[in-house]
Amino acid sequence: MTRGPTGVLINPDRRDEAMLRINHALALPDATARTYYEAAALEQDRRAPWARIKGLLEKATEIEPLFGEAQFLLGSHATDDGEYAVAIERLGAAVKAKPRNASYWNALAYAQAKAGQREDAKTSARAAVRTAQTEEQERMAQSLLESLN
């Protein structure tokens, strides 16, 4: 058994069954943002195309705009695709939802740096250093901040 992103235990041999249950829940008129996020996580585990995963994450953020985890995944993928304006918007929502998450701040700083927004990137990198909870997070944020100076 493994835990899904929300902590629900999922038997690796029963992912298809879990997906059927999630799809049933998604068909209900009151499907939650968390349900869409879980569906995206299961689809990612099943190696579904990014378009499918992205659609589920976007629906989660439509329902709950400050859904930090979904915004972070969308923003990180946008950064990887060179869509820095989208990345900054998504990662900005993630840090607004979870301002004490150093990984979110670091990702935002990186996207801002790639977009040429050096001063904003420095501010975000400093926030990443301040909110770091592990030595590795602090090291990564400090390294990014030093590269911006």
Side-chain angles (χ1 to χ4, degrees):
M1 299 275 249
T2 59
R3 290 202 182 271
T6 61
V8 175
L9 284 173
I10 299 171
N11 183 335
D13 299 327
R14 302 183 111 184
R15 280 202 171 93
D16 289 337
E17 181 182 331
M19 198 68 225
L20 285 173
R21 289 176 187 242
I22 292 246
N23 283 332
H24 176 73
L26 292 176
L28 299 174
D30 60 346
T32 66
R34 179 65 60 187
T35 303
Y36 279 94
Y37 178 74
E38 283 288 343
L42 282 170
E43 290 286 27
Q44 188 172 15
D45 285 349
R46 292 165 39 141
R47 301 197 188 325
W50 170 245
R52 169 78 176 139
I53 298 164
K54 181 181 178 185
L56 292 165
L57 292 171
E58 287 174 338
K59 184 65 177 171
T61 62
E62 286 172 24
I63 295 168
E64 191 178 325
L66 292 181
F67 195 124
E69 295 93 338
Q71 293 286 16
F72 175 74
L73 292 173
L74 289 165
S76 295
H77 205 281
T79 299
D80 292 344
D81 289 345
E83 298 172 357
Y84 303 122
V86 171
I88 291 166
E89 180 181 339
R90 294 288 188 181
L91 295 166
V95 298
K96 186 174 180 182
K98 295 193 173 190
R100 301 189 60 71
N101 188 311
S103 296
Y104 291 6
W105 280 110
N106 199 63
L108 177 59
Y110 181 78
Q112 290 167 326
K114 295 298 273 183
Q117 299 175 8
R118 293 180 65 77
E119 292 308 312
D120 290 339
K122 288 178 187 179
T123 300
S124 295
R126 285 185 198 104
V129 170
R130 256 191 335 272
T131 57
Q133 294 186 353
T134 67
E135 287 181 20
E136 182 181 355
Q137 286 178 335
E138 186 174 356
R139 201 170 33 253
M140 286 175 54
Q142 194 63 48
S143 176
L144 179 57
L145 183 57
E146 289 170 8
S147 76
L148 295 167
N149 288 325

